[in-house]
Amino acid sequence: MKKILFHTGGNLSNMFSRKILIYMRNTLFLLFITAFNVFADDSYSQNAKVNLDMKEVPVAKVLSAIEEQSEFYFLFNAKLIDVNRNVTVKAENAKISDILSAVFKNDNVDYIVYGRQIILSPKNEIKGLAQLQQFAVSGKVTSASTGEPLPGVTIVVKGTTIGTISDMDGHYFLSNVPPNATLVFSFVGMKTQEIVVGNQTNINVALVEEAIGIEEVVAVGYQTKQKSNLTGSVSIISSEQIENRPVARLTQVLPGLAPGLIVTRNNPGRIGTSDVGLRIGGITSRSNPDVLVVIDGVPQESSSVLNTINPGDIESVSVLKDAEAAIYGSRASGGVIVITTKRGKGAKLSASVSSSFMVPHIYRQTTNMFEMFELQEEGWKSTGVTPMFGYPYIFQYIRDNHITFNDVKNNDFKYVIHGNAPFPDCPYLVFGHTDWMKVMYGTAKTQNYNVSAQGSSEKTNYYASVGVVDEGSMLRYGNNSSRSYYMRLKYEYTHNNLIKIGANLALRYQNWVEPQDYGNIQWLAAVKFTFDHPYTPKGNYMNWGGYQNPIGWAEKGGDIKRAYYDLQPQLYAEITPSDNLNIRINIAKNANFTRARWLRKQFQHYYWDDTPSFPSIQPDETQVGAANSFNQNFDGNMQVIYKNTFNEKHHINILGGVSHEEFQYDNINAYRNNLVFSNLYTLNLGDSKEQFNNDSQSEYALNSAYGNIGYSYTDRYNIELTARYDGSSRFAEGYKWKPFFGAGASWIVTNERFIKNLNFKGLNNFKIRATWGQLGNQNSIGLYDFVSRINISQSNLLMGDPSAPVRLQVATLQGLPSYTRTWEMAEKSNIGFDVDMLNYRLNSTFNYFIADNKNMFYQEEFPAVLGTTPPTINGAHIKTHGWDFSLNWSDKIRDKFGYHITFGISDAKTKVISLSDSRIIRYGYNGFVEGYPVGTVFGLVFDGFIKDDNDLATYNNKYTAGITRRLRPGDAKYKDLDNDGILELRPYKTDANGKPTSDCGDLINLGDMERHYEYYSNIGFNWKGFDFEILLVGVGKWMAFDQNPANYAWPWVQPLKYIYGNTWRPDRTNAKYPRFYVVSTDFNADVNTNNYYLSDAPYMRYNVPYLAIKNINFGYSLPQGITKRIRLEKIYIYCNIADFGYLINKMPKGYSPEQPFNSNLTPYPQNYSFGININF
Amino acid sequence: MKNIFKYLLILIAATIIFACERDLNLLPLTEISEQVYFKSENDFKLFANQFYAQLPGFEICSRDNWADIAFTRNNISNSSYIESEESSLWNDSYSNIRATNILIDKVNSVNDSILKNKVLVYEGEAKFFRALNYFNLLKDYGGVPIVDKVLGLNDKEILYGPRNSREEVINFILKDLDDAIALPLGSLSGSDNEGRITKEAALAFKARVCLFEGTWRKYHQLSSDPNELLTQAIDAARQVLESSKYELFKRTDVLGDESYRYFFILENEVKSNPAGLTKNDQKENILVNKYNKKDRPGTYIAVTSGNLSPTKKMADMFLDKTGLPITHPNSVFKGHGFVIDTVTYKATNIEYLDRDPRMSNDFIPPFTQFWYHIPYDRHYELTDERNTGCFNDGFWTSATGYLVHKFIPEIGGNVGIDYPVIRLAEVMLIYAEATYEKYGSISDVDLDMSINKLRDRVDMPHLTNAFVQANGLDMLEEIRRERTVELFAEGFRFDDLRRWGIAKTEMSMDVKGVKWAGTPFVAPFKVFNPVTGTVVTVDHSLKAFSTDAEGFALLEPASQRQFQDKHYLFPLPLRQLTLNPKLEQNPGWMH
C-alpha cells in the first residue's frame, strides 16, 4: 500500500486556470494513478452480507463465522474485549455492521473497518488505537450531474499535507486520516466539498459542477490572482480555445476570442510571415502603442513575438484592457496580453498532427479581353476622340473575324495581330485568355506536428514540447515554403519548500524561402492582361513588354532564403520564507538572429514566335546579397509579494518590484550587383566593383520600480492601488523619469448578506468594478531625439572627373532635438460589471472606458521657413470613449447535449480634444484635427453625374475656377458649398451668422476611417464525444473609399469586373460609376481627378461592414472504452475550416472586406484542416 | 525571522546589481552629436556635399510645358490653377536654406584660423546655394521672408514675420553671390573636386539673377533701377566670357550636322555618339548636375512619355537659313507639313528645309531615321510607323505632333548624361540681352562676342545691326528669339515671358501643333520607309484633331487660356498663410 503525501500549501491550482483543468480531467492524472496498486473497497464492509443462525455461542465464534462468510478478519485485544461471552445471533442476509452492532450493543465496544480488517476496541479508546493503526478512509468520487466517476480529484485532509487523488474509476484511499478530520474534495470546475470523517471509513462523494469563471485564476500584473479578486477588466483565453485550431501562428487564433481585442490582418495568403495588427481598447495615442506581450512574466520587445511561439504551448492568454495593465506601466498603454505557457503537472504525453489545405478564395476579378476592349471603346467614345493606340484595328479585327471569347480562351494562338497593337511597344497582339490568379495560385498544404511531455513530482515539474509547422505556398511556381521548428523546455525544482528555481527555454528556428521579389510576382499576377499567354508555343516565358511574366519571375527571378533563430531563455528563482512572503527574481534574455541571403537573377522573355524579347532585368540589376541582424533584449525583474489574511476577513496582497529592460538592435546588409555567376549565394561571386554595404545599430533601456497593494474585505470588497516609477533612455536628462499611479475597486454584490437573504435563485454572481490608472508610453518616438545629430550617409550625388566620378558622402543635420519631451501618459478609467445568472449558465461582462491622453506626443506645425522638422512634444490631448460587452450562455440538455453561445461586441471613438497648434484640415485623411475623431476624412459633396450638354453648360457656368473644363456628360458634379464659384479643396466653414467665412472651401467631414462595432459570436455544441463550434467575427461600421476604378481607365490597365456594365452611358444614366473614359498623357487626367475626388458619392464612399465565418470546427473524442483498449487516454479527431467566407460582405467581388479595395495581394485563402490529438 | 532577514539581504544586493547594470544614458551608435562635429575640414565638406542635391536636373526641362513653346496639358500653362495648400518649392527651399545657414554659422564660429581658411570655400558654396534657393523663391513668389540664420522655435519674429520686399530679397541674393565670388570658390584641388561650384559659376549665376530682376524691374515698372542690375549682369557675364576656361562645343568635324545635338547627350560609360566623344570633350558647361548610368541615372524629358511636345510656336521660331524669320516676306521658308512623292513615296519634310539647323537637332523630323535604343538593348534604330506624324503612338508620344530630340540619348535604359545647369551659351545670351536692355542697342562687337558665336556654331548667318535694319527686324525680338531657340527645353521660357512682361499676351494664344488638314495625314497614305526600304501604308485618319482655319492641330484654344496679371506671380501656399497670418498673399489671389 502506498502512502501519498500531498503538499497543497503552494496552491497549485492557482497556477492554472481551472477551466483548462476541466478539459484535462479525463487525462491529467491518468498515468500518475496507474502507478498505484489500487485498492477498491467498493464499500464492502457496508454492504457485505452474511447469514447466521447461532444460539448462545461465544462472541468469538460469531466473529469466526463472519470471517468465514466474508473476506473480513477481526483484530482485537482479547484482554480488552470480552469475546467469550455467549450471544445469540439470527440474521438472514444481514449487514455485518448490523450484526456487530447487535452483538456488542450492551458492551462498551466499538469497531472500525480498516481494509479487510475489522478492529474491535473498547469505546473511547478507539481514537488512540486508530492513531496507532493509521485510520483509513476510502470511497468513490463521482460527478453529481453525470454520475460518472471522476478521476484526478484531490482529496486532502484539511489543515495537513495528507492527501491523495482519485484513480481512473474515481476511487480513492487515504490511509493516515486523523480522527475527526475533515476531508476536502476539490476538483477544477467542481464545487469543493468538505466532509467531516467522524467514524466513517467509507465516504462516497458526488461533486457538483461549478459554473466556470467564478474561481478562475488569471495571470495579471506579475502575479496570478483569483478572478473574483480582480478590480480590472481581463479577458481570458484558454488553451482549449487554441488547441483545436491548427494554425501556424498564434495571431491567427486571436480574432474573436475576447471582446475589445481587435486583430486585423493584411496579406494572410502569404506564408512564412504574419502581418497582423493588434489593438486593445481603442486608440490611446498618436503612436498607437504596440500591445505589450508578456510571456511567463517576461515582457517582450514587440507583439510580433506572437509569431514566434508555438501555439501548442499556450496554457492561457489574458487580455488586460484597462488600468489593470498599469502595473506593466512603461510599455502597457496599448493594452497587455499575458501569456502563460504550459507547465508540468501530473504525467502526460501528448501528440497532435494536422494537415491543412489553403485554397485561394478571394482575389482580383478582372474583365476578360473582350469586356476590356468594350470598355475601352466606350471610353474613346465618351471622350469624343477616335480610338488610338491601335485600338481601332483591334475593334475592326474582332468584328471582321467574328471572334468571341470561346475562340480564344484556349490560348491556342489562333488569332494574332501584328503591329498596331494597342499597347506601347507591343509588336503584336495574340488573342487569348489567361486567368492569372488561377494560373499563379493553387492549393497549398500545411502540416503541423506537436509532441509534448510533462511530469511533476513533489519537488520538480517539467514541460517539454517540440513542434514543427511545415507551410506550403499557394504560389504554384518557384520556391516558396516555410518550415518552423519550436522547442520549449521548462523545469522547476523546489528545495525544502523554500526555494524554487525554474528555467524556461524556448527556441524557434524558421527556414523560409521565397522568390526574391515576391511583391512583384504578387502584383504581376494581379495586373497582367488576361489576353497574355503564359508560355510561347515552345514553352518559353512569353512577354512582349509591359507586365512581365510572373511565372518567370517566380521560377527564375532568384530566391531569398531567410533563417530566423529565436532564443528565449528565462531563469527565475522564487523564495518563500514563509507562507505569506514570496520573493521572485526573474532574468530573461531574448535573442533574435536573422540571416537572409538572396539572388536577384535575370531571365529571358520571348515573343510569341519564340524570338527573344526582353530580359527581365538588366545585368547590372542582378544582385547577390546577404543581411544579418542580431537583436536582443534583456529583462530582469525582482519582486516581493506579501500576502496575509487577518481575522479571516482582511486579505492583503502587497507586491513590490524593480525591473530593468534593455533592447539592442544590430543589422548589417551587404550586396553586390552584376552577378558573375548566378547560382551560388555568395557575395564573392558578385562584381567587386559594385559592392555595397551598410549597417544600423541602436539601443534603449527602461528602468522601473513598481508596487501594488491589494486589499480584500471578506468576499465582497476589493481595493487595489498601484504605483510605478519609470525611467527611459529615450528622454533627455531630467525628463527620463516619471511616476504613474493607478487604483481599482470592485464589489461583489451577490456576496452581500442582504442580497443573499433575498435568495435570488437566478443571480449567482454580480460584481461591479472600477479602475483608474495612468499608463505611460514612450514608444514610437526616436531613440535619441534629445541629441542634435549629424547623420553621415552615402549619397548618389556624383562629383569629380566624369570618367571616374565618385559618390559623395553627405552629412546632414537631423530634425530639431526634443530636449523637454517626456513620457506621454494616458489615463484610463474603466467601469464595468461581471454577472453570472441562472446557475452560472448565463455570464455577461460589460466595460465602459475612457482613455484620456493629455500630453500625447505630437509634432507641432511651424511655418515652413523653419526649414526643418520640429521636435515631437507632449502637445496634444485626445480622448477615447469605448465599451465592450460580452454575453455567454452555456447549458446542457438532459445532461447529454451541451451547447454554448457567446457574443461579444466592442467599440471605441477617439476624439482630438486639443492640439498645441491648431492643425489645419486637409483634403483627404486627417490624422489629427481638433474636435474631430482621429482619422477623419474630408471630401467633396457629390451632386450627381452631369446629365447632358445643358447640364454640363450649367455646371461649367457655375464655376469660374477649380474645375476642369473638359468634363462631359457622365462625369461627377460637386457642390459649391460656399457659392463662390470655385471648387476648393478646403473645409467649408461658417462664421457666427452661419455665413461662409472668407477662407471657406467646399469640403465636408465624410467620417472617420476607424473600424466600429467589432463583434464576434461563438456557437458550439457537444454530444456524446462530438463537438461542433462555429466562430463568427465581424465589423459593424467601417468607412472605405474606392479610388481604384480611377486606375482602370488607363488604356494599359485591365479594368476590374465590377465596373463592367456599371459605368454611366447616355443609355445607362442611373449607373453607379462615372462614364468610362480614356486617360492618357493628354487625355482626361484632370477628368480622372475630378471623378475620383474623395466624396460622399455612392461609388466612392462605402460603408463596409462584414461578418466573417472565421472558423468552423467539428471534432470527435473517441469513447474511453475504445481508447482504453488501445491504451490511449484520449483520441480527438477533428476537421476545421478557417476563413470559410463572409455572411455579410458589401465589397465588390474580388475584394476581401478585411482589406477594402486592395486586391493586388495574394488571394485571401480558405483553410481546411484535418487533425488528430492523442493523449497517451 | 532570521531567514527573512537573509533573503531581504539578497534582495537588496540584487536590486543594486540591477540598478547599476546599465543606466539610462544611452547615446546614438551610428550618428554623431552636432556638438562634436564641425571640427575638421572634412566635416564641413561632407556637410556642404548635401547642397549639390539642390542643383536643378532634368525635371526643370518640363518647365517649358508651363510656357508657350511646349505643351502637355497642365493647369499652369492655361492658368486654370487655383491656390494650393502646400508647395514643395516653398518647403524645400527653406529646408535647403536652413542647411546653408547652418554651415555659414558653423564657419563663422571656427576660431582656429588654419581650419577657418580651409573651410571658407564651403562657406562660399553655402552662400551660392542660399542665393540659388532665394532666387527660385523670388522668381515664383516675389518677395519672401528672408531667413539668414539657423532658426529656433523661439525665433517667432521671423517664423511668424511678414514677407521681405522683392528688393530686399534681390539684394540679399546679390550680397550672397558677391560674398561667394570673393571667397575661394573652386579652389579645391584634385580631380575628385571637379564639378564643385566655381567662381565662374557664381558669376554666371549672378548674371542670370541680375538679368532676370533687371528686366523684371523694367517691364513691371518697379520703382527701383533696372540698369543697376543690368550693369551687374553685363559685368558678371563679361568676366565669364573673358575667362578662357569655356568654349562652345562645336565638333562638326566628326559629328557633322548633328554636332549640336550630340553636345546634350554626351556620356562617358557608353559610346553616346558616332565619334565616341565624352563629357570630357566639351568645355561649354560651367556648372552641371552630374549623372551616370549606374549610380545616378537621370530621368530625361523622354519623348517616350510625351513629357515635352514642342508647339507650332516653337517650330516657327527657328529662323530660315538666311537668318530671316519664316514669316518674313523674303524668307526662303517652304511651308509647313510634308509632301510625299507620288512615285517613290519618299516623304519630304518641307517645314524643316532651309531652316536653322538647330530645328532638326532639337526636333525629330518625321519619316527620318533616328537612333534610339529602347531599354534592354532592343534596337529601334529608326522608326517606321512610330515616326510618321508622331501623334500619340503609344509611349512614343507627342501631343502636338512635333517630337522633341534635344536631351534624348541614343542609348536607352538608364541615362548618364549631365544636366547643364549653366552653360556658356546662356552667359552669351545674358550678355547680349542685358546690353541691349540697358543701352537700347547693341554693337556688332558685342553681338560677335555673344550671339554670333552661337550662330557660328550652327553655321547660321550673323545677326548684325545692318541685317536687322535691312530687313526691318526688331533687334530685341531677335535677341529673345535666339535665347528661346538656343535654350529650348531648358526651362527658361516661362520665366522669360514673365520677366519680359509679355506672358499675358503670349500665353493667351492658341496652342497649336503640326499642320494636319491639307496634309496626307487626313487619310491613309503610303510612305517610303528608309530603314526597310519598303513602302508602307500609314493611317492616322482616325486621329481626329480639331484644327484651326489654316489646318493646324489646335490643342488648346486661346479661349481656354486665361493668363491674367495675377499669374505673373504664383499664390503663396495657403497653409503657410494660415500658419502665419502676417504673410500676405500675392495680389489678385482670393485667399
Side-chain angles (χ1 to χ4, degrees), chain A residues 293-300 570 586-588 590 633 635 637:
Chain A
V293 176
V294 179
I295 300 175
D296 290 331
V298 181
Q300 302 293 316
Q570 176 194 9
N586 184 78
I587 291 170
N590 288 1
N633 63 296
D635 174 81
N637 68 63

Side-chain angles (χ1 to χ4, degrees), chain A residues 181-198:
Chain A
T182 301
L183 291 188
V184 181
F185 293 80
S186 59
F187 187 62
V188 283
M190 299 284 185
K191 264 193 177 153
T192 299
Q193 275 195 34
E194 293 189 3
I195 291 173
V196 180
V197 177

Side-chain angles (χ1 to χ4, degrees), chain A residues 386 788-790 922 984, chain B residues 25 31-32 34 86 542 591:
Chain A
T386 359
S788 182
R789 288 156 6 247
I790 298 274
R922 289 166 199 259
E984 287 159 301
Chain B
N25 293 322
E31 290 171 311
I32 301 160
E34 186 193 351
E86 307 221 45
L542 292 165
H591 297 300

Side-chain angles (χ1 to χ4, degrees), chain A residues 710-918:
Chain A
Y711 169 74
S712 303
Y713 177 71
T714 67
D715 51 0
R716 278 166 281 170
Y717 310 108
N718 302 296
I719 292 172
E720 257 189 80
L721 299 170
T722 304
R724 286 186 67 96
Y725 192 48
D726 288 313
S728 168
S729 68
R730 297 196 201 211
F731 302 112
E733 201 58 56
Y735 295 88
K736 288 185 193 295
W737 289 88
K738 195 165 179 175
F740 302 95
F741 301 99
S746 68
W747 176 31
I748 302 171
V749 183
T750 39
N751 284 351
E752 290 288 354
R753 195 158 299 161
F754 67 91
I755 300 285
K756 275 185 172 162
N757 288 345
L758 291 175
N759 245 341
F760 279 139
K761 280 261 165 24
L763 186 64
N764 310 96
N765 175 42
F766 183 63
K767 178 172 159 185
I768 298 173
R769 300 174 270 102
T771 57
W772 168 86
Q774 299 169 323
L775 293 157
N777 174 42
Q778 45 94 58
N779 268 3
S780 325
I781 53 169
L783 300 182
Y784 310 109
D785 288 352
F786 51 91
V787 180
S788 182
R789 288 156 6 247
I790 298 274
N791 182 290
I792 295 176
S793 63
Q794 187 79 28
S795 75
N796 68 348
L797 296 171
L798 298 173
M799 197 59 77
D801 185 280
S803 321
V806 290
R807 291 163 78 212
L808 286 181
Q809 254 196 330
V810 163
T812 48
L813 188 64
Q814 306 295 69
L816 285 173
S818 310
Y819 295 117
T820 60
R821 180 174 64 193
T822 187
W823 291 80
E824 81 175 14
M825 188 176 80
E827 281 181 22
K828 264 193 179 178
S829 314
N830 187 89
I831 185 157
F833 64 77
D834 301 319
V835 59
D836 299 295
M837 288 188 290
L838 305 170
N839 202 17
Y840 294 101
R841 286 178 298 174
L842 182 68
N843 327 107
S844 178
T845 295
F846 175 78
N847 289 298
Y848 178 78
F849 67 88
I850 297 172
D852 195 6
N853 191 343
K854 285 180 181 142
N855 58 351
M856 187 178 78
F857 295 142
Y858 178 69
Q859 198 170 37
E860 272 186 275
E861 190 172 8
F862 285 88
V865 293
L866 178 64
T868 188
T869 341
T872 303
I873 57 166
N874 300 93
H877 179 187
I878 66 164
K879 207 169 184 177
T880 298
H881 293 258
W883 53 269
D884 64 65
F885 173 71
S886 71
L887 197 63
N888 175 55
W889 170 263
S890 55
D891 195 14
K892 255 182 180 170
I893 298 172
R894 290 184 187 171
D895 290 338
K896 276 179 183 163
F897 182 78
Y899 68 98
H900 66 265
I901 303 170
T902 304
F903 177 74
I905 184 166
S906 66
D907 189 32
K909 285 193 175 85
T910 306
K911 202 172 170 181
V912 180
I913 305 298
S914 69
L915 303 173
S916 56
D917 59 352
S918 52

